[in-house]
Amino acid sequence: MTKQRIALLKALDRKVQKYFDQIFPLNLTVRYILGLTIIGLLSLAGHLLIQVSLVKLSADERTIRILESQVDDSESFYREIIRLQTIGREADFKRQLETIDKDIIHLIENHKNIITRINQTSVFGLGFPKKLEPYKKSVSDAFDQLSNVFGRLGNIKYLDDPTLRLNDPIVVNFIKSENHYRDIISQLVKNYEQDSRDTIQYFKHLEIALLLFTLLILVIEGLYVFRPAVHRVNTAIQSRSDFLSRLSHEIRNPMNSILGMTQLLSKTKPTPQQKNYIKILENSSVGLLEMLNNLLDYSTLESSKLKLENIRTDLYNVVEKTLDLVTTKIQEKGLELTLDIASDVPLKVLSDPIRFQQVLVNLLSNAAKFTEHGFISCKIRLVPNSEGKRIQFSIIDSGVGIEQSKIDSIFESFVQENSSVRRKYGGTGLGLTIAKEIVNLMGGELTLETKKGVGSTFSFSIPLEIDGEVKTINDYIPIKLTGGQYLLIDKNDKASTHIQSIIEEQGGACDRIKNYNNFEELYGCMVKTKYSKVLLDASTLGANLEDFFIFLREKKFDMDSICILFRYIHANYLFDLLHTYGIHSFFPKPIKPIEFANYLSGYNVESDTPLVVEDTLLTSKRRYKLLIAEDSADNRTLLHVYLEKYPLDLYFAENGKRAVELFEQQKFDMVFMDIQMPEMDGITATTLIREYENKQKINATPILAFSAHKRQDIFHPGKEKNIFTDFVLKPINANIVRSKLKQYLEFTEEIKKEDLKMEISLKKNIPTKKDDFDVTDLIPSYLERRTKEIDQMKECIEKNDLKNLIRIGHQLKGSAKSYGFEELGQLGDELEQLAGVENMAEIKLVVAKIVNRITEYRKIYLN
């Protein structure tokens, strides 16, 4: 019965909601204003009702007071008449008659006042109570009877015998009339009082009715105005969350392949120039994914639900990655970027590296946006604090600056200093807001010092929590520059000062040249002292660089003693030029202190030791069975490449259903379970595996959620038991996969030492290491998988199976570009879009193009 009532109530609620949606405007603001207007009118009506009741009660009180006064006067008059009958002397009798005449006048005046009061109408239209109308005539008639006697009272004669006066007809008649009049007035007073009490009760009921009606309006407004509004907001939030989740998934899949190919590309014996590019590409890809996650978390920041991690962080590594992300943007504008880290700053700390990097990226990107000329500097210092020491970060620029009146507002969401349509600088205005919120969560405060037209300095400091032994820059520069003599040619005073300080802090000496008149003067400075190295900034000579190289060659200058400092944006042109003139030493800007000092000293930064590189391998006394459930064939390929060198037997499942089947057929030591797969998703598959384990009474197998979704989407806080053992975030990272294997399986590390043929000189500072794996090794198997899909696509067209066509197009779009097949990736995107709108005619044309492209690629790579 209760369920039926609940169902009826829900049905009624839906009908009422539908009625409101039909009758009233759909605009929730209009509904809200309408509801407030009704409530306001009801409140006004209640106020007027109270005022009316007060006026009515005040009028009734005055009328009752006059009536009661008349009763008292009438009674007093009655006593005067009685006394007249008992007076023994004639003189006193006459004086009493005079007093009675005066009282009669007063009584008449009071009666007139009573008649006026009970006949008057108030400002609210409230006159004499209708139920008391009969008394109006009775009062008048009784007083008329009494007033007829007033004129005859003077005819009463004084008699010596008072007993004779008692029976005087005039007196007897007066007493009867007066008693009657007084009774009528007394009854009127009682009824008037009762009417007032009834009126008060009536107004109370009316006020209660208004109050209940107001509450009803509030309930209706809450149910059918606020509730729909909240529902729409929640729906919008959920839609946004779903969209961001899908967006994240769509971006992660191709980025996963890009990162995987980048890591594999680094093993193909790249040149120093290519190695720099690969490193920037990898750092930028990782940074893009991390920044994507952080920016998509802005709603979390708004709701103050963002939680920071406190994990081991290599501060220098975070800053280095950050600079790689923004260097190209800054150098394209011709700006000088410097990294200034004090030698006492500890580099191994406990922090949240992702959020920390996000703050630096936002501040550096903001500086790059608003700086047209000059420099941008990232300055890191160790500063004292009342609670201990803190690490202070300052981003300094020579940009446009900010007006003092707008300093506070720029930290607000979606706010820029100039928000007009003619503003020069774009952007959403979220960067500084996100940075400030994260810094606050870290226990710091983001501050700004600025001057319009001069530049700005954004600073923040975070509490210092050292991870283990204190390590500074000097600990990563084992070979000092003591005794080294260097000449720096750089027209940028900020950059040259920074480079000079790095050299001198490591024990070297540095002379600087900013300006020169001609090549001869510059050459004279270069040969005046026997320098260990001449550090020449390529942009200082600009278009004259090649002419200067020709000049030096004619002078037979030792080109091996020159180290060119260059910007990445000039690298393509510059490397060819350096090769032509026999210059083999070069170092990119921005100058990173550790790498630069080690480069000058001849220390091999790549290996962390001058002569030996340590390669740790995972070994075990037994082979483990590893199940990988992943619907993307390209991801399966990458995982196979990463894991084949370990003592593992790999089993792959393309969907959750197949993973469950394999798990029930044999025992696995560990499972990587993708979350989003066709036929059966990873969560469902893992749930079935856990049920199978419980039924068979076997120990729980480590199952790691392998997904592009955020961790909180898989592990729900507050749940007593999560079905997954751990979480691995896509894109695939070989080091993370390796660490999970060590964590959940009994692997040991074996260190393999390999002597490197490395020449410790400034001419060749990069070790050569043979690696028989090449990225192109993956292309044949990739094309074989695409070939198999040709028949699948044709079959889908025959069966009008649009769902599978969408899947094939989606996977083709996400993988082809990572293998260098740009046009094939575009065709996959077209196939996915056309299948989504069920355009079969166009689908057939696109599939034909895909078949042609795959056939062409096969001829190139498989024949």
Side-chain angles (χ1 to χ4, degrees):
M1 186 65 180
T2 304
K3 292 183 178 179
Q4 292 178 350
R5 290 180 178 177
I6 293 174
L8 288 173
L9 288 175
K10 289 183 177 179
L12 179 62
D13 177 65
R14 287 192 294 270
K15 289 182 180 179
V16 175
Q17 183 68 66
K18 184 177 180 181
Y19 173 78
F20 268 82
D21 291 341
Q22 291 175 347
I23 300 301
F24 296 98
L26 289 176
N27 190 308
L28 294 178
T29 303
V30 175
R31 290 188 188 179
Y32 177 68
I33 294 174
L34 183 61
L36 285 182
T37 302
I38 295 174
I39 293 172
L41 292 175
L42 289 173
S43 299
L44 179 61
H47 176 73
L48 292 176
L49 185 63
I50 292 173
Q51 294 300 317
V52 170
S53 63
L54 290 175
V55 171
K56 176 68 169 62
L57 292 176
S58 177
D60 288 349
E61 184 181 359
R62 289 195 296 271
T63 302
I64 291 172
R65 199 161 47 244
I66 293 172
L67 290 171
E68 289 177 341
S69 174
Q70 187 73 333
V71 170
D72 293 340
D73 291 344
S74 178
E75 187 174 358
S76 175
F77 188 68
Y78 169 78
R79 286 194 295 270
E80 294 291 337
I81 294 296
I82 296 300
R83 187 169 178 273
L84 184 67
Q85 294 174 313
T86 60
I87 294 175
R89 292 188 307 172
E90 185 175 3
D92 293 337
F93 183 83
K94 290 182 178 179
R95 280 196 296 275
Q96 185 66 17
L97 283 177
E98 292 174 359
T99 301
I100 288 173
D101 287 340
K102 293 179 181 179
D103 288 343
I104 288 173
I105 294 173
H106 181 68
L107 197 65
I108 292 171
E109 289 297 324
N110 273 353
H111 178 76
K112 289 179 179 179
N113 196 8
I114 289 172
I115 297 302
T116 301
R117 290 294 306 171
I118 64 179
N119 284 326
Q120 76 175 358
T121 302
S122 71
V123 292
F124 295 102
L126 297 175
F128 194 72
K130 290 185 178 180
K131 61 182 179 181
L132 300 182
E133 284 289 340
Y135 286 97
K136 291 174 65 176
K137 189 173 186 310
S138 298
V139 170
S140 298
D141 292 345
F143 191 76
D144 289 342
Q145 294 176 11
L146 182 62
S147 62
N148 289 333
V149 184
F150 288 159
R152 290 181 289 153
L153 288 176
N155 296 329
I156 300 176
K157 301 297 183 180
Y158 176 78
L159 301 174
D160 293 334
D161 186 359
T163 58
L164 295 177
R165 293 198 297 272
L166 287 173
N167 296 320
D168 188 289
I170 296 175
V171 174
V172 172
N173 192 23
F174 173 79
I175 290 173
K176 290 180 179 180
S177 300
E178 195 278 335
N179 283 333
H180 178 65
Y181 177 69
R182 184 152 35 91
D183 289 341
I184 293 295
I185 294 295
S186 297
Q187 291 178 22
L188 181 59
V189 169
K190 292 179 180 180
N191 284 275
Y192 226 115
E193 289 177 343
Q194 182 61 43
D195 179 71
S196 294
R197 287 193 292 271
D198 293 343
T199 301
I200 292 173
Q201 195 66 25
Y202 170 76
F203 280 126
K204 283 183 178 180
H205 291 161
L206 197 57
E207 287 175 13
I208 292 173
L210 284 174
L211 177 61
L212 291 176
F213 192 60
T214 302
L215 292 176
L216 177 62
I217 295 297
L218 286 173
V219 170
I220 292 174
E221 189 166 77
L223 288 175
Y224 303 108
V225 177
F226 288 110
R227 187 179 61 173
V230 171
H231 176 70
R232 291 185 186 183
V233 170
N234 290 336
T235 301
I237 292 174
Q238 185 61 41
S239 298
R240 182 178 67 175
S241 177
D242 293 342
F243 168 74
L244 295 180
S245 178
R246 291 194 300 271
L247 177 65
S248 175
H249 182 76
E250 292 296 326
I251 293 178
R252 286 177 186 274
N253 277 335
M255 284 306 300
N256 174 33
S257 297
I258 292 173
L259 275 173
M261 294 302 106
T262 302
Q263 293 171 2
L264 295 176
L265 185 61
S266 65
K267 300 180 180 181
T268 60
K269 297 176 287 187
T271 64
Q273 174 187 358
Q274 292 168 338
K275 199 165 189 177
N276 279 325
Y277 291 160
I278 292 171
K279 183 178 180 181
I280 295 174
L281 175 61
E282 184 174 4
N283 287 340
S284 298
S285 299
V286 173
L288 173 61
L289 287 169
E290 292 174 350
M291 292 305 102
L292 173 69
N293 290 337
N294 296 332
L295 291 176
L296 294 181
D297 281 343
Y298 177 68
S299 58
T300 308
L301 277 172
E302 280 185 312
S303 59
S304 301
K305 294 180 180 179
L306 180 67
K307 302 298 181 184
L308 295 180
E309 292 184 335
N310 195 36
I311 60 177
R312 300 179 64 182
T313 302
D314 186 332
L315 194 64
Y316 187 85
N317 186 44
V318 172
V319 175
E320 184 183 28
K321 285 183 178 179
T322 302
L323 293 184
D324 286 342
L325 289 173
V326 300
T327 292
T328 302
K329 181 191 297 184
I330 292 175
Q331 291 184 350
E332 282 176 349
K333 300 181 74 172
L335 304 175
E336 193 72 39
L337 175 61
T338 61
L339 172 60
D340 183 5
I341 305 180
S343 58
D344 61 343
V345 175
L347 301 182
K348 300 292 186 181
V349 297
L350 294 176
S351 182
D352 188 328
I354 293 178
R355 303 300 178 185
F356 178 68
Q357 181 178 340
Q358 183 178 359
V359 173
L360 290 178
V361 167
N362 284 343
L363 294 180
L364 285 167
S365 298
N366 187 73
K369 184 189 300 183
F370 295 101
T371 305
E372 297 297 331
H373 307 285
F375 69 93
I376 296 173
S377 177
C378 179
K379 185 177 180 181
I380 306 175
R381 293 290 184 269
L382 192 63
V383 295
N385 184 268
S386 58
E387 301 174 357
K389 292 185 176 180
R390 300 170 74 93
I391 303 178
Q392 184 181 65
F393 300 84
S394 300
I395 306 301
I396 308 166
D397 66 64
S398 57
V400 296
I402 301 170
E403 293 182 1
Q404 294 294 322
S405 60
K406 296 183 178 180
I407 288 179
D408 293 334
S409 64
I410 65 167
F411 291 106
E412 298 176 4
S413 302
F414 306 104
V415 172
Q416 289 186 329
E417 184 192 11
N418 179 10
S419 58
S420 69
V421 295
R422 294 185 177 90
R423 68 182 186 272
K424 181 178 181 180
Y425 308 102
T428 61
L430 275 178
L432 292 179
T433 303
I434 294 174
K436 183 178 181 181
E437 291 294 331
I438 294 175
V439 169
N440 290 342
L441 288 174
M442 287 181 171
E445 181 182 3
L446 183 60
T447 60
L448 169 62
E449 295 179 8
T450 183
K451 187 175 181 181
K452 190 69 175 177
V454 176
S456 304
T457 300
F458 286 89
S459 301
F460 68 93
S461 61
I462 58 175
L464 174 61
E465 191 173 355
I466 298 176
D467 177 28
E469 183 183 356
V470 177
K471 292 207 170 190
T472 63
I473 283 180
N474 291 330
D475 294 312
Y476 296 91
I477 306 176
I479 303 176
K480 305 303 178 184
L481 302 179
T482 306
Q485 191 80 13
Y486 301 91
L487 175 64
L488 174 61
I489 304 171
D490 194 334
K491 66 180 179 181
N492 189 289
D493 185 64
K494 195 79 176 177
S496 61
T497 301
H498 174 57
I499 295 172
Q500 182 183 28
S501 67
I502 293 175
I503 294 174
E504 292 178 350
E505 281 182 5
Q506 299 305 318
C510 182
D511 297 329
R512 290 193 296 166
I513 297 176
K514 290 196 299 182
N515 302 307
Y516 63 93
N517 295 319
N518 51 59
F519 289 165
E520 284 288 350
E521 179 183 341
L522 188 57
Y523 175 74
C525 294
M526 293 170 63
V527 298
K528 181 178 180 181
T529 304
K530 185 169 180 58
Y531 290 107
S532 306
K533 210 70 171 173
V534 175
L535 307 172
L536 174 60
D537 175 60
S539 62
T540 297
L541 276 79
N544 298 322
L545 183 62
E546 185 172 7
D547 292 337
F548 184 60
F549 288 163
I550 296 172
F551 173 81
L552 291 178
R553 190 165 60 180
E554 291 175 352
K555 292 287 188 179
K556 301 189 182 304
F557 186 80
D558 182 10
M559 304 300 271
D560 280 343
S561 65
I562 298 177
C563 177
I564 299 298
L565 307 180
F566 69 96
R567 292 184 172 93
Y568 284 115
I569 58 173
H570 302 142
N572 288 333
Y573 156 76
L574 189 61
F575 283 138
D576 291 337
L577 183 64
L578 298 180
H579 178 74
T580 301
Y581 291 95
I583 298 176
H584 305 289
S585 296
F586 44 85
F587 197 87
K589 285 189 170 185
I591 301 298
K592 298 168 184 175
I594 294 177
E595 290 84 348
F596 185 64
N598 286 330
Y599 187 81
L600 293 182
S601 70
Y603 179 74
N604 179 25
V605 184
E606 293 288 329
S607 63
D608 260 1
T609 67
L611 297 174
V612 178
V613 64
E614 293 185 350
D615 184 18
T616 59
L617 300 176
L618 293 185
T619 62
S620 176
K621 295 179 181 180
R622 54 166 289 196
R623 291 185 69 83
Y624 293 101
K625 286 186 177 182
L626 181 63
L627 173 60
I628 300 174
E630 168 62 60
D631 65 319
S632 172
D634 304 307
N635 286 340
R636 294 198 298 269
T637 301
L638 288 175
L639 283 168
H640 186 272
V641 171
Y642 290 148
L643 300 174
E644 64 180 353
K645 58 185 175 181
Y646 302 130
L648 295 169
D649 293 328
L650 303 177
Y651 294 79
F652 291 93
E654 65 275 9
N655 56 59
K657 182 179 178 182
R658 179 58 180 160
V660 175
E661 292 174 354
L662 288 174
F663 192 88
E664 292 177 351
Q665 292 171 7
Q666 55 191 304
K667 178 174 174 55
F668 289 96
D669 299 293
M670 189 174 181
V671 178
F672 281 117
M673 182 69 71
D674 187 25
I675 295 300
Q676 187 170 328
M677 294 184 291
E679 293 194 44
M680 181 183 292
D681 62 85
I683 295 177
T684 304
T686 304
T687 302
L688 293 176
I689 289 175
R690 293 305 187 201
E691 291 175 356
Y692 175 78
E693 289 176 332
N694 292 332
K695 184 178 179 181
Q696 298 296 322
K697 296 181 180 180
I698 58 178
N699 294 332
T701 304
I703 303 179
L704 282 67
F706 193 42
S707 175
H709 293 277
K710 292 181 287 187
R711 185 182 185 91
Q712 54 266 36
D713 295 336
I714 311 301
F715 286 86
H716 303 285
K719 248 190 168 184
E720 293 183 2
K721 185 178 181 181
N722 284 292
I723 58 175
F724 291 103
T725 309
D726 204 342
F727 175 80
V728 178
L729 180 67
K730 287 185 178 180
I732 299 171
N733 183 290
N735 292 328
I736 293 177
V737 172
R738 172 193 175 101
S739 68
K740 297 302 180 183
L741 291 175
K742 288 174 54 182
Q743 183 177 353
Y744 294 104
L745 301 177
E746 295 180 1
F747 279 107
T748 56
E749 288 189 341
E750 179 182 290
I751 299 177
K752 179 183 177 182
K753 295 187 176 182
E754 179 182 4
D755 293 332
L756 300 177
K757 296 178 180 179
M758 188 189 79
E759 181 180 350
I760 305 178
S761 66
L762 296 178
K763 182 176 181 180
K764 291 184 179 179
N765 197 335
I766 299 176
T768 60
K769 183 179 179 181
K770 190 175 186 310
D771 194 332
D772 57 1
F773 181 81
D774 194 287
V775 67
T776 56
D777 293 343
L778 295 176
I779 292 179
S781 59
Y782 176 77
L783 291 176
E784 288 293 346
R785 290 193 296 274
R786 300 289 80 80
T787 303
K788 293 179 181 179
E789 286 179 351
I790 292 176
D791 293 334
Q792 295 179 21
M793 287 186 288
K794 292 179 179 179
E795 185 178 351
C796 288
I797 292 175
E798 293 176 0
K799 296 181 178 180
N800 198 29
D801 187 354
L802 297 172
K803 183 177 180 181
N804 271 322
L805 284 174
I806 292 175
R807 177 186 60 80
I808 293 172
H810 176 75
Q811 291 189 349
L812 190 62
K813 174 186 69 174
S815 63
K817 295 180 182 180
S818 300
Y819 284 83
F821 303 132
E822 186 75 24
E823 187 177 356
L824 188 60
Q826 293 291 345
L827 291 172
D829 189 16
E830 290 181 28
L831 176 60
E832 182 183 12
Q833 299 297 327
L834 293 171
V837 296
E838 302 181 4
N839 190 339
M840 188 56 70
E842 292 293 332
I843 288 174
K844 293 178 181 179
L845 295 176
V846 171
V847 169
K849 292 179 181 179
I850 292 173
V851 173
N852 290 336
R853 289 293 173 268
I854 293 175
T855 303
E856 291 174 4
Y857 295 143
R858 282 178 59 86
K859 291 179 180 178
I860 296 173
Y861 291 97
L862 301 183
N863 295 330

